Amino acid sequence: MWKKWLSGIMAMALFSIVLAGCGGGDSSEGSGSKDKVTVTLWHNWTGQDAKAVAMRKIIDDFRASHPDIEVVDEGLPTDGLKTRLRTVAAANEMPDLFVMWPDAMTKEFVKGDLLQPINAELDAKPEWKDNFIPNALDGYTVDGNIYSVPMNLAPSSFIYYNEALFKQYNVKVPETWAELEQAIATFNENKVIPMALGNKANWVAQSTIFSTLADRITGTDWFLKAAAQDGASFTDPQFVEALNKMQELGNSKAFQDGFNSIDETQMMQLYFQGKAAMVMNGGWALANLVNNAPEDVLKNTHITILPPVDGGQGEPRTTSGVVGTGLGVSKKLEGAQKDAAMELFYALAGPDGQKATLDSSTLVSYKIDLDKSKAHPLFVELYDLMQEVKINPVYDSKLGSATVEVINNGLQELLMGGKAEDIAAKIQAAQANAVGNE
């Protein structure tokens, strides 16, 4: 898969020019002191949500307390960061530290010989290593080596709903699929968008809706077998049924017109403006809600999960998700530069970084008690909900990167009227190819 994937990436010369000096290289270029060490960091903490603000503050504080280390950080929106990382991976020009994702991306980067493990650093600080929640390090572990730690917990699929609109139109918060269909119909009759969707960056429908909807129908075991191409196929009837169910949501006008041409930020704006009764999004959306939603919308917002689908094989009290992003450490780092990078890594992902994340209304994969007297009430609601909801795998964490692109594009096509069986066949071909090339 790696070779095939690399061969598809062109225009590398341009990127090597742009990125000269990004990966390793001469670390003594600091101003004045020739002992100054430079560390490059790429991340997706670009927004005005509380989590991004908290992470940027840690970087600024680190600079202030480490005058001998020059941190050159660059923030990119999530989809831009993923694309850019894969491009520089092909040229072996990784930044020193970079936000990366567990499971599929970690495995691809390890296979490409781009990462170095952090076992020694973790073993040296057992009080850090031993405080992660069970299985939190699994998505970053390959052949017994640990390559990162999660910096948050990312359940990807909740229904955030405006209780005031539900009361105004006498709609029940849906606990069954029939109640969800009824809610969609009633909101449409009253010219309220039932559920805002912004699927321009096409991971949104897959990550926030379809991964959970499909699990409700197929169950998790089937998905893991299909991902491994071991005893299940994406052309199986239960997966086609999941695609059809997603299409039914679109056909019932669950989403506003033009959902493939607006992004996640604009989708949240529709909800903030009171134009949409619901929005499906991950746990990460909460920091944005708490920071940016108008007071009347925020105080009426509550959280629930997608109802079960009649006859489905999946557990009902689940949401899709991953343990959360981590920091990758470039294979090229060594000596003083590696030491400096690992200090910054610990500042961001160690106990203080985990606490700053939790304090920013963001869930963590780390054992820290939430001070409910200080936390925002909506975050307390999410935190409590997560104590009784299990996480099943989000599709894009377990499938090869080429397959993810096929499924994301396929869901756009499906919602525009494409045929479920044809889309299922494309997804199956892509994953068979990915597994065959591993």
Side-chain angles (χ1 to χ4, degrees):
M1 177 170 118
W2 187 254
K3 285 200 189 96
K4 197 158 254 196
W5 184 69
L6 295 189
S7 67
I9 300 208
M10 308 307 261
M12 278 335 311
L14 173 65
F15 268 88
S16 358
I17 295 162
V18 174
L19 296 166
C22 262
D26 180 10
S27 57
S28 59
E29 293 165 4
S31 49
S33 158
K34 69 176 184 356
D35 294 323
K36 198 158 185 173
V37 174
T38 301
V39 175
T40 55
L41 164 67
W42 289 5
H43 58 77
N44 59 344
W45 306 313
T46 56
Q48 285 313 303
D49 58 283
K51 158 81 174 170
V53 171
M55 293 295 103
R56 293 198 299 264
K57 182 179 187 308
I58 290 176
I59 296 169
D60 289 341
D61 291 350
F62 184 88
R63 283 192 181 105
S65 59
H66 295 78
D68 54 329
I69 299 172
E70 184 179 3
V71 180
V72 180
D73 76 303
E74 185 175 348
L76 293 155
T78 295
D79 33 327
L81 178 63
K82 285 183 172 178
T83 305
R84 186 96 174 268
L85 283 174
R86 293 209 151 101
T87 308
V88 295
N92 195 8
E93 289 280 3
M94 304 305 277
D96 301 330
L97 293 175
F98 45 92
V99 167
M100 69 169 187
W101 280 259
D103 293 313
M105 182 184 274
T106 300
K107 288 194 183 93
E108 284 177 12
F109 285 173
V110 170
K111 190 161 192 184
D113 204 24
L114 300 165
L115 297 175
Q116 53 180 297
I118 59 161
N119 300 50
E121 286 77 15
L122 280 168
D123 291 341
K125 296 184 171 77
E127 71 292 347
W128 177 32
K129 183 182 181 180
D130 297 343
N131 263 313
F132 288 92
I133 62 174
N135 307 319
L137 304 180
D138 293 1
Y140 291 110
T141 304
V142 181
D143 299 332
N145 278 320
I146 302 169
Y147 289 90
S148 195
V149 299
M151 300 170 68
N152 55 315
L153 178 68
S156 69
S157 182
F158 295 106
I159 297 176
Y160 295 88
Y161 64 94
N162 185 331
E163 191 176 45
L165 289 172
F166 275 75
K167 284 181 172 160
Q168 185 178 341
Y169 298 108
N170 198 23
V171 178
K172 184 177 184 299
V173 176
E175 290 176 32
T176 66
W177 201 262
E179 286 170 355
L180 178 64
E181 290 173 332
Q182 184 55 56
I184 290 166
T186 305
F187 286 125
N188 273 318
E189 281 161 26
N190 290 285
K191 308 269 185 288
V192 175
I193 298 165
M195 193 178 276
L197 173 61
N199 198 41
K200 186 177 181 180
N202 58 14
W203 61 270
V204 176
Q206 171 264 121
S207 174
T208 67
I209 305 173
F210 184 72
S211 289
T212 294
L213 172 54
D215 189 84
R216 294 277 187 274
I217 294 169
T218 68
T220 306
D221 289 347
W222 175 89
F223 171 62
L224 293 174
K225 284 179 183 165
Q229 293 289 291
D230 181 12
S233 158
F234 287 101
T235 53
D236 288 350
Q238 57 267 58
F239 184 70
V240 175
E241 188 192 332
L243 289 171
N244 280 325
K245 205 76 179 165
M246 183 78 174
Q247 193 170 50
E248 276 172 34
L249 275 181
N251 290 345
S252 69
K253 294 268 182 268
F255 317 119
Q256 83 285 355
D257 291 340
F259 52 79
N260 278 336
S261 59
I262 69 164
D263 63 20
E264 187 195 9
T265 305
Q266 293 164 300
M267 155 181 115
M268 294 308 292
Q269 285 301 324
L270 286 174
Y271 182 77
F272 290 172
Q273 290 158 2
K275 292 178 181 172
M278 298 176 273
V279 62
M280 283 192 75
N281 211 338
W284 59 80
L286 201 129
N288 178 19
L289 265 157
V290 168
N291 256 26
N292 300 318
E295 191 51 44
D296 60 323
V297 171
L298 183 56
K299 74 171 192 290
N300 282 298
T301 294
H302 295 285
I303 310 167
T304 186
I305 55 174
L306 198 69
V309 176
D310 300 334
Q313 297 298 304
E315 291 183 44
R317 301 294 293 167
T318 61
T319 164
S320 55
V322 289
V323 287
T325 48
L327 285 172
V329 183
S330 167
K331 183 80 181 258
K332 293 180 181 176
L333 279 185
E334 54 188 14
Q337 199 180 11
K338 182 184 171 181
D339 294 344
M342 288 313 303
E343 269 194 75
L344 178 57
F345 186 115
Y346 187 68
L348 289 161
D352 291 349
Q354 302 284 350
K355 185 175 185 318
T357 298
L358 188 69
D359 289 346
S360 77
S361 302
T362 304
L363 297 164
V364 290
S365 305
Y366 197 75
K367 293 175 197 155
I368 314 176
D369 287 329
L370 180 67
D371 182 346
K372 293 185 178 181
S373 66
K374 291 187 183 152
H376 191 280
L378 189 60
F379 184 62
V380 174
E381 191 176 321
L382 176 65
Y383 182 88
D384 288 345
L385 179 63
M386 280 311 296
Q387 307 312 306
E388 48 114 359
V389 166
K390 262 177 64 174
I391 288 189
N392 54 49
V394 66
Y395 267 51
D396 57 20
S397 73
K398 294 292 181 191
L399 300 173
S401 48
T403 314
V404 172
E405 207 41 45
V406 171
I407 195 165
N408 289 357
N409 289 333
L411 290 172
Q412 280 193 334
E413 193 185 317
L414 181 79
L415 290 168
M416 299 309 284
K419 196 158 177 268
E421 288 80 1
D422 298 346
I423 291 160
K426 284 190 237 179
I427 294 167
Q428 170 56 26
Q431 189 61 8
N433 190 37
V435 171
N437 285 313
E438 272 181 6

